[in-house]
Amino acid sequence: MSDTIIEFRNVSKHFGSLKVLDEVDLNIYKGEVIVLVGPSGSGKSTLLRCINGLEKITGGDLIVNGRSVLGGNDVTREIRQEAGMVFQQFNLFPQMTALQNVAFGPQQVRGLSRREARALAEELLDKVGLAEKANHEPAELSGGQQQRVAIARALAIKPKVMLFDEPTSALDPELKQEVLNVMRDLAAEGMTMVVVTHEMNFAKQVGTRLIFMEHGTIAVDGNPIEVIDHPPNQRMMEFLQRVE
Amino acid sequence: MEVNWLVILDFIPQLLKGAQVTVHITVVGLLGGVVLGAIAGLMRAYGNVLVNSIAFVYIEVIRGTPIVVQVMFLYFALPVLASIRIDPMTTAIMAIVINAGAYIAEIVRGAVLSISKGLTEAGLAIGLPRWKVIVYIVGPLAFRRLIPPMGNQFIVSLKDTSLFIVIGVGELTRTGQEIMAANFRAVEIWSAVAVMYLIMTGLLSLGLRIIEKRMRIL
Ligand SMILES: Nc1ncnc2c1ncn2[C@@H]1O[C@H](COP(=O)(O)OP(=O)(O)O)[C@@H](O)[C@H]1O
Ligand SMILES: [Mg+2]
């Protein structure tokens, strides 16, 4: 059990009277690449956002890197430093250059000096293939480039887990691949990842585990290749036909 | 009586004094109004239910009543209610602070809420405390959007100072009134007063336009 990094214990999440997560139990282990799929509204984003406290759980308990998300503001902030998040809409800070976007977190959160933070940011931009765009503002970058900067920004706080919420859904088809490639490299380095995506090829090639959600519950949990090629239930089969 | 524009010359020093009082009330009042408005606006945008309601009631009461009534209340009703007596000048400044504060609160709230929630979440997600997200990320972006409506409010407040004629503050309008009462030169004096207001609001607009140009609105 020592290599469990995220543990959902009977987690529920309500928005008012709407139950969006329904007593979810789930253990995520270090090094796993979990691909989270399911129909729109099934609770994928909510599940992801509960992990880093962007949504507060309303039932059960959720342990991230040994700390409960119910531990209060300081603990929530510590958890967020261990769980980087990448959003569908990139959400880069528009008033900052790519480099500043990436350097901001380490400087403000990890206490690095300006110089150290810049050096780290340069290194990470290079890693996502955008060294030459360091001084460009987000508005001057393509969607795929923005998303790669956003990945670098999340990596800059040295998280133990990376959470991706449909990172390629807002991108034109020809730009998806450059983002997926960065994610593939990250997985190859052993990063623990939870990825909400409709990219079934990515799921098969990179995922170590696939979770199919339905009405706030985990309906299928298995090996990506097996469950995609042989969907264990009718609704997952129908879902796969729709995304492919 | 024939219109004789030259009579204005005799009264320019007096009118300038009045204008000076107008500027003084406007500047001090707006400084206070910006602080109060920023606080009330942030209370509306980020406060819990209680904090939010307090700001909401303040804003609605002020926006829902005429400024003349607010001035009258401060000057004549407050002494009765709380046995606080304040001189006309202080009343005038307080009235601008309280009145402009309410409108500025709505401007601040609107600007803050116009910044996409995703940016706040991105800031929180890298582990920043909420105040740093507000100060470093939302604040600078909201500030740029704030300037045009804020400039508008500054001009409104400057003109609102003419209402303090009702409590006898010697600002520009009151000064014009006094001169007029003595020499009945209505056309000349009120023209001169209007031009002086135009100069003040014009300079204000110009200043704001320069700031706006300097700052790229994102
Ligand atoms: N902030 C919110 N307030 C109210 N309902 C919400 C909120 N966020 C999500 N929901 C609802 O929760 C359900 C699950 O949403 P979500 O987790 O975004 O699903 P998915 O990511 O799988 O499409 C949906 O019915 C959605 O409308
Ligand atoms: Mg979603």
Side-chain angles (χ1 to χ4, degrees):
Chain A
M1 283 307 281
S2 69
D3 59 350
T4 300
I5 183 130
I6 299 172
E7 189 178 352
F8 284 75
R9 294 182 188 157
N10 214 21
V11 170
S12 293
K13 169 67 188 175
H14 298 77
F15 287 111
S17 59
L18 182 67
K19 194 173 205 175
V20 175
L21 292 182
D22 191 357
E23 301 182 358
V24 172
D25 280 304
L26 171 64
N27 277 351
I28 297 173
Y29 302 97
K30 284 190 183 138
E32 283 195 300
V33 178
I34 297 197
V35 177
L36 202 54
V37 301
S40 171
S42 58
K44 306 179 296 293
S45 296
T46 305
L47 184 133
L48 214 56
R49 292 159 58 85
C50 284
I51 295 173
N52 71 351
L54 285 181
E55 303 292 355
K56 299 268 170 269
I57 65 175
T58 50
D61 200 356
L62 172 47
I63 312 296
V64 182
N65 197 38
R67 318 285 306 260
S68 166
V69 296
L70 300 171
N73 283 345
D74 289 345
V75 175
T76 299
R77 236 178 304 128
E78 283 169 31
I79 287 175
R80 286 172 179 161
Q81 293 170 31
E82 304 306 337
M85 181 171 254
V86 175
F87 301 85
Q88 183 176 345
Q89 298 300 336
F90 330 134
N91 294 337
L92 292 181
F93 308 133
Q95 73 271 45
M96 301 183 195
T97 63
L99 187 85
Q100 289 167 337
N101 263 280
V102 181
F104 192 69
Q107 205 182 334
Q108 292 292 334
V109 173
R110 291 290 195 200
L112 267 62
S113 74
R114 213 178 122 80
R115 251 193 44 236
E116 292 167 329
R118 285 181 70 93
L120 173 63
E122 278 167 10
E123 183 189 314
L124 286 168
L125 285 176
D126 189 44
K127 183 186 169 103
V128 299
L130 290 172
E132 80 284 8
K133 299 289 184 189
N135 295 317
H136 289 251
E137 287 186 0
E140 301 165 339
L141 302 176
S142 73
Q145 291 170 336
Q146 289 189 50
Q147 193 61 300
R148 286 188 280 153
V149 174
I151 293 172
R153 175 178 66 180
L155 291 173
I157 49 163
K158 304 284 182 196
K160 294 199 171 69
V161 191
M162 285 284 282
L163 311 171
F164 293 85
D165 194 356
E166 304 203 28
T168 59
S169 294
L171 298 175
D172 294 335
E174 70 271 21
L175 298 179
K176 288 184 198 288
Q177 214 50 51
E178 62 187 59
V179 172
L180 292 172
N181 286 340
V182 168
M183 292 168 63
R184 205 181 296 261
D185 293 347
L186 211 51
E189 288 171 15
M191 175 63 80
T192 310
M193 296 164 51
V194 186
V195 185
V196 178
T197 184
H198 300 303
E199 301 292 326
M200 290 304 144
N201 285 329
F202 178 86
K204 280 183 176 179
Q205 291 163 11
V206 184
T208 60
R209 192 170 158 196
L210 184 137
I211 288 174
F212 175 71
M213 283 190 73
E214 217 182 14
H215 305 305
T217 61
I218 293 175
V220 176
D221 181 349
N223 176 285
I225 297 173
E226 282 172 24
V227 297
I228 291 172
D229 290 345
H230 308 285
N233 75 34
Q234 183 66 29
R235 283 176 308 269
M236 181 161 170
M237 194 179 315
E238 288 164 6
F239 170 79
L240 289 174
Q241 280 162 359
R242 259 181 287 128
V243 296
E244 265 156 21
Chain B
M1 193 158 31
E2 246 174 73
V3 174
N4 176 7
W5 296 107
L6 287 178
V7 301
I8 294 172
L9 291 177
D10 296 338
F11 298 105
I12 281 188
Q14 207 178 332
L15 288 171
L16 280 177
K17 262 210 186 101
Q20 212 180 340
V21 175
T22 294
V23 169
H24 178 75
I25 297 170
T26 306
V27 169
V28 179
L30 282 177
L31 280 176
V34 166
V35 172
L36 181 62
I39 292 169
L42 292 175
M43 284 167 73
R44 286 280 283 136
Y46 293 111
N48 60 28
V49 179
L50 176 71
V51 168
N52 195 312
S53 311
I54 293 169
F56 178 78
V57 169
Y58 155 63
I59 293 165
E60 290 309 307
V61 166
I62 297 305
R63 293 204 309 170
T65 53
I67 185 167
V68 182
V69 174
Q70 293 160 19
V71 176
M72 295 300 206
F73 191 91
L74 281 175
Y75 195 61
F76 295 110
L78 215 52
V80 179
L81 279 179
S83 10
I84 309 168
R85 177 156 289 288
I86 30 181
D87 62 87
M89 189 64 182
T90 312
T91 306
I93 289 171
M94 273 179 60
I96 293 292
V97 171
I98 294 168
N99 184 270
Y103 289 94
I104 291 170
E106 281 299 284
I107 294 169
V108 168
R109 169 171 166 267
V112 165
L113 295 184
S114 78
I115 304 304
S116 121
K117 211 171 136 238
L119 290 178
T120 300
E121 289 185 345
L124 293 175
I126 55 173
L128 292 171
R130 187 169 282 276
W131 73 265
K132 279 195 178 178
V133 174
I134 297 170
V135 169
Y136 292 114
I137 297 167
V138 178
L141 293 170
F143 188 71
R144 300 167 202 220
R145 298 195 182 173
L146 212 82
I147 290 178
M150 197 78 113
N152 200 41
Q153 180 57 40
F154 286 4
I155 288 169
V156 169
S157 289
L158 188 148
K159 292 187 296 179
D160 278 351
T161 59
S162 73
L163 297 164
F164 301 134
I165 193 170
V166 299
I167 52 169
V169 175
E171 41 68 55
L172 181 55
T173 304
R174 170 88 184 189
T175 307
Q177 170 73 28
E178 280 166 1
I179 298 169
M180 234 278 299
N183 67 6
F184 301 104
R185 292 274 177 186
V187 175
E188 297 88 338
I189 296 301
W190 289 123
S191 299
V193 167
V195 167
M196 292 183 93
Y197 275 112
L198 274 173
I199 291 169
M200 289 190 283
T201 54
L203 288 174
L204 195 50
S205 291
L206 194 68
L208 287 159
R209 206 150 307 151
I210 290 169
I211 295 175
E212 222 173 298
K213 275 238 176 78
R214 289 244 166 125
M215 248 184 294
R216 230 155 21 93
I217 309 284
L218 285 173

PDB file of all heavy atoms in Angstrom, chain A residues 15 18 20 39-46, ligand 1:
ATOM      1  N   PHE A  15     -23.599  18.863  -6.019  1.00  0.00           N
ATOM      2  CA  PHE A  15     -23.817  20.292  -6.298  1.00  0.00           C
ATOM      3  C   PHE A  15     -25.269  20.540  -5.943  1.00  0.00           C
ATOM      4  O   PHE A  15     -26.167  20.168  -6.699  1.00  0.00           O
ATOM      5  CB  PHE A  15     -23.561  20.619  -7.767  1.00  0.00           C
ATOM      6  CG  PHE A  15     -22.116  20.604  -8.148  1.00  0.00           C
ATOM      7  CD1 PHE A  15     -21.605  19.620  -8.980  1.00  0.00           C
ATOM      8  CD2 PHE A  15     -21.240  21.584  -7.671  1.00  0.00           C
ATOM      9  CE1 PHE A  15     -20.266  19.609  -9.339  1.00  0.00           C
ATOM     10  CE2 PHE A  15     -19.900  21.573  -8.026  1.00  0.00           C
ATOM     11  CZ  PHE A  15     -19.412  20.584  -8.854  1.00  0.00           C
ATOM     12  N   LEU A  18     -27.861  17.792  -6.591  1.00  0.00           N
ATOM     13  CA  LEU A  18     -27.364  16.930  -7.671  1.00  0.00           C
ATOM     14  C   LEU A  18     -26.143  16.151  -7.193  1.00  0.00           C
ATOM     15  O   LEU A  18     -25.141  16.729  -6.782  1.00  0.00           O
ATOM     16  CB  LEU A  18     -26.998  17.804  -8.877  1.00  0.00           C
ATOM     17  CG  LEU A  18     -26.491  17.077 -10.123  1.00  0.00           C
ATOM     18  CD1 LEU A  18     -27.580  16.241 -10.764  1.00  0.00           C
ATOM     19  CD2 LEU A  18     -25.937  18.085 -11.122  1.00  0.00           C
ATOM     20  N   VAL A  20     -23.055  14.206  -8.038  1.00  0.00           N
ATOM     21  CA  VAL A  20     -22.196  14.116  -9.209  1.00  0.00           C
ATOM     22  C   VAL A  20     -21.158  12.998  -9.060  1.00  0.00           C
ATOM     23  O   VAL A  20     -20.759  12.371 -10.031  1.00  0.00           O
ATOM     24  CB  VAL A  20     -21.515  15.477  -9.473  1.00  0.00           C
ATOM     25  CG1 VAL A  20     -20.527  15.383 -10.607  1.00  0.00           C
ATOM     26  CG2 VAL A  20     -22.572  16.523  -9.789  1.00  0.00           C
ATOM     27  N   PRO A  39     -19.252   9.405 -20.685  1.00  0.00           N
ATOM     28  CA  PRO A  39     -20.087  10.403 -21.343  1.00  0.00           C
ATOM     29  C   PRO A  39     -19.967  11.771 -20.672  1.00  0.00           C
ATOM     30  O   PRO A  39     -19.585  11.858 -19.508  1.00  0.00           O
ATOM     31  CB  PRO A  39     -21.513   9.856 -21.177  1.00  0.00           C
ATOM     32  CG  PRO A  39     -21.386   8.489 -20.610  1.00  0.00           C
ATOM     33  CD  PRO A  39     -20.017   8.311 -20.091  1.00  0.00           C
ATOM     34  N   SER A  40     -20.309  12.784 -21.429  1.00  0.00           N
ATOM     35  CA  SER A  40     -20.316  14.135 -20.883  1.00  0.00           C
ATOM     36  C   SER A  40     -21.266  14.199 -19.681  1.00  0.00           C
ATOM     37  O   SER A  40     -22.364  13.659 -19.731  1.00  0.00           O
ATOM     38  CB  SER A  40     -20.778  15.093 -21.983  1.00  0.00           C
ATOM     39  OG  SER A  40     -20.979  16.355 -21.432  1.00  0.00           O
ATOM     40  N   GLY A  41     -20.802  14.814 -18.612  1.00  0.00           N
ATOM     41  CA  GLY A  41     -21.645  14.943 -17.420  1.00  0.00           C
ATOM     42  C   GLY A  41     -21.553  13.758 -16.475  1.00  0.00           C
ATOM     43  O   GLY A  41     -22.239  13.728 -15.460  1.00  0.00           O
ATOM     44  N   SER A  42     -20.672  12.790 -16.779  1.00  0.00           N
ATOM     45  CA  SER A  42     -20.605  11.616 -15.913  1.00  0.00           C
ATOM     46  C   SER A  42     -19.766  11.860 -14.656  1.00  0.00           C
ATOM     47  O   SER A  42     -19.729  11.013 -13.767  1.00  0.00           O
ATOM     48  CB  SER A  42     -20.057  10.422 -16.701  1.00  0.00           C
ATOM     49  OG  SER A  42     -18.787  10.724 -17.232  1.00  0.00           O
ATOM     50  N   GLY A  43     -19.092  13.007 -14.595  1.00  0.00           N
ATOM     51  CA  GLY A  43     -18.359  13.356 -13.380  1.00  0.00           C
ATOM     52  C   GLY A  43     -16.849  13.257 -13.484  1.00  0.00           C
ATOM     53  O   GLY A  43     -16.141  13.326 -12.469  1.00  0.00           O
ATOM     54  N   LYS A  44     -16.320  13.146 -14.699  1.00  0.00           N
ATOM     55  CA  LYS A  44     -14.867  13.007 -14.876  1.00  0.00           C
ATOM     56  C   LYS A  44     -14.113  14.233 -14.364  1.00  0.00           C
ATOM     57  O   LYS A  44     -13.166  14.128 -13.591  1.00  0.00           O
ATOM     58  CB  LYS A  44     -14.527  12.788 -16.363  1.00  0.00           C
ATOM     59  CG  LYS A  44     -15.274  11.639 -17.016  1.00  0.00           C
ATOM     60  CD  LYS A  44     -14.918  11.498 -18.489  1.00  0.00           C
ATOM     61  CE  LYS A  44     -15.314  12.682 -19.354  1.00  0.00           C
ATOM     62  NZ  LYS A  44     -16.769  12.872 -19.496  1.00  0.00           N
ATOM     63  N   SER A  45     -14.553  15.418 -14.839  1.00  0.00           N
ATOM     64  CA  SER A  45     -13.862  16.645 -14.405  1.00  0.00           C
ATOM     65  C   SER A  45     -13.987  16.811 -12.895  1.00  0.00           C
ATOM     66  O   SER A  45     -13.016  17.180 -12.226  1.00  0.00           O
ATOM     67  CB  SER A  45     -14.475  17.873 -15.085  1.00  0.00           C
ATOM     68  OG  SER A  45     -14.284  17.800 -16.474  1.00  0.00           O
ATOM     69  N   THR A  46     -15.158  16.537 -12.384  1.00  0.00           N
ATOM     70  CA  THR A  46     -15.379  16.703 -10.946  1.00  0.00           C
ATOM     71  C   THR A  46     -14.446  15.784 -10.160  1.00  0.00           C
ATOM     72  O   THR A  46     -13.827  16.205  -9.179  1.00  0.00           O
ATOM     73  CB  THR A  46     -16.855  16.420 -10.603  1.00  0.00           C
ATOM     74  OG1 THR A  46     -17.673  17.265 -11.403  1.00  0.00           O
ATOM     75  CG2 THR A  46     -17.122  16.683  -9.135  1.00  0.00           C
TER      76      THR A  46
HETATM   77  N1  LIG C   1     -20.041  24.065 -10.444  1.00  0.00           N
HETATM   78  C1  LIG C   1     -21.101  23.255 -10.732  1.00  0.00           C
HETATM   79  N2  LIG C   1     -22.320  23.551 -10.258  1.00  0.00           N
HETATM   80  C2  LIG C   1     -23.372  22.736 -10.529  1.00  0.00           C
HETATM   81  N3  LIG C   1     -23.289  21.611 -11.245  1.00  0.00           N
HETATM   82  C3  LIG C   1     -22.091  21.272 -11.750  1.00  0.00           C
HETATM   83  C4  LIG C   1     -20.930  22.073 -11.507  1.00  0.00           C
HETATM   84  N4  LIG C   1     -19.878  21.470 -12.119  1.00  0.00           N
HETATM   85  C5  LIG C   1     -20.369  20.368 -12.699  1.00  0.00           C
HETATM   86  N5  LIG C   1     -21.693  20.229 -12.484  1.00  0.00           N
HETATM   87  C6  LIG C   1     -22.535  19.118 -12.944  1.00  0.00           C
HETATM   88  O1  LIG C   1     -21.968  17.918 -12.518  1.00  0.00           O
HETATM   89  C7  LIG C   1     -22.100  16.922 -13.494  1.00  0.00           C
HETATM   90  C8  LIG C   1     -20.755  16.325 -13.816  1.00  0.00           C
HETATM   91  O2  LIG C   1     -19.973  17.324 -14.436  1.00  0.00           O
HETATM   92  P1  LIG C   1     -18.481  17.077 -14.889  1.00  0.00           P
HETATM   93  O3  LIG C   1     -17.707  16.504 -13.770  1.00  0.00           O
HETATM   94  O4  LIG C   1     -17.994  18.341 -15.487  1.00  0.00           O
HETATM   95  O5  LIG C   1     -18.690  15.969 -16.011  1.00  0.00           O
HETATM   96  P2  LIG C   1     -17.723  15.536 -17.184  1.00  0.00           P
HETATM   97  O6  LIG C   1     -16.401  16.165 -16.979  1.00  0.00           O
HETATM   98  O7  LIG C   1     -17.705  14.045 -17.088  1.00  0.00           O
HETATM   99  O8  LIG C   1     -18.380  15.981 -18.453  1.00  0.00           O
HETATM  100  C9  LIG C   1     -22.804  17.564 -14.667  1.00  0.00           C
HETATM  101  O9  LIG C   1     -24.169  17.249 -14.584  1.00  0.00           O
HETATM  102  C10 LIG C   1     -22.586  19.020 -14.454  1.00  0.00           C
HETATM  103  O10 LIG C   1     -23.646  19.761 -14.987  1.00  0.00           O
END
